[in-house]
Amino acid sequence: MSNKVEEFNAYRAKMNDKLLAENNKLIKRIFNLDTNAFMAGALDVKTKELLGLVASAVMRCDDCVKYHLESSKKEGATKEEVMETLGIATLIGGTIVIPHLRRAYEFWEALEEHEA
């Protein structure tokens, strides 16, 4: 079983806890806004996560890509939906997104392996 998923989640949780423990109002509000923005509304959560995946890939944020990949998978996104989403991200972001596309695909495989 792959440790990529566990390592990413453990690091993210540890650092989020440290950041939030600083009790910085601005940081807490940004975290809260992010949480609330991805709740179901006019768009369902899976759609919002896939949109987050596109934006993250275009912005070339590998941690964000991993987060939205895992969240999309938890919301029932299929490999085909994720690949189509990453295709749009690559189209919009251009060839500079390709290295992030490779890492996204690798992390999706780790998620699949982790789920098995």
Side-chain angles (χ1 to χ4, degrees):
M1 177 166 40
S2 171
N3 287 327
K4 289 181 185 196
V5 175
E6 291 92 351
E7 288 172 10
F8 173 72
N9 286 325
Y11 176 77
R12 185 176 176 277
K14 179 181 93 173
M15 293 312 297
N16 283 352
D17 288 347
K18 286 184 176 191
L19 288 166
L20 292 171
E22 290 297 321
N23 208 26
N24 180 289
K25 188 187 297 187
L26 180 58
I27 290 173
K28 284 187 172 189
R29 286 184 175 172
I30 290 170
F31 274 56
N32 183 269
L33 179 62
D34 181 70
T35 297
N36 285 300
F38 282 90
M39 290 181 173
L43 297 174
D44 60 69
V45 175
K46 181 173 83 169
T47 300
K48 288 183 176 188
E49 291 297 342
L50 292 171
L51 288 168
L53 178 57
V54 169
S56 298
V58 170
M59 296 298 294
R60 302 186 304 267
C61 175
D62 285 334
D63 280 5
C64 304
V65 167
K66 289 175 182 176
Y67 175 80
H68 290 292
L69 280 170
E70 186 169 13
S71 296
S72 295
K73 186 155 190 53
K74 287 178 182 174
E75 290 299 320
T78 65
K79 184 176 187 176
E80 293 76 20
E81 290 172 321
V82 167
M83 290 308 299
E84 191 167 321
T85 299
L86 289 170
I88 295 295
T90 306
L91 172 68
I92 299 301
T95 57
I96 194 145
V97 174
I98 291 173
H100 305 277
L101 173 65
R102 290 181 191 120
R103 288 188 288 275
Y105 190 86
E106 180 181 38
F107 195 74
W108 182 263
E109 287 181 323
L111 287 167
E112 290 179 324
E113 184 179 311
H114 182 57
E115 188 177 72

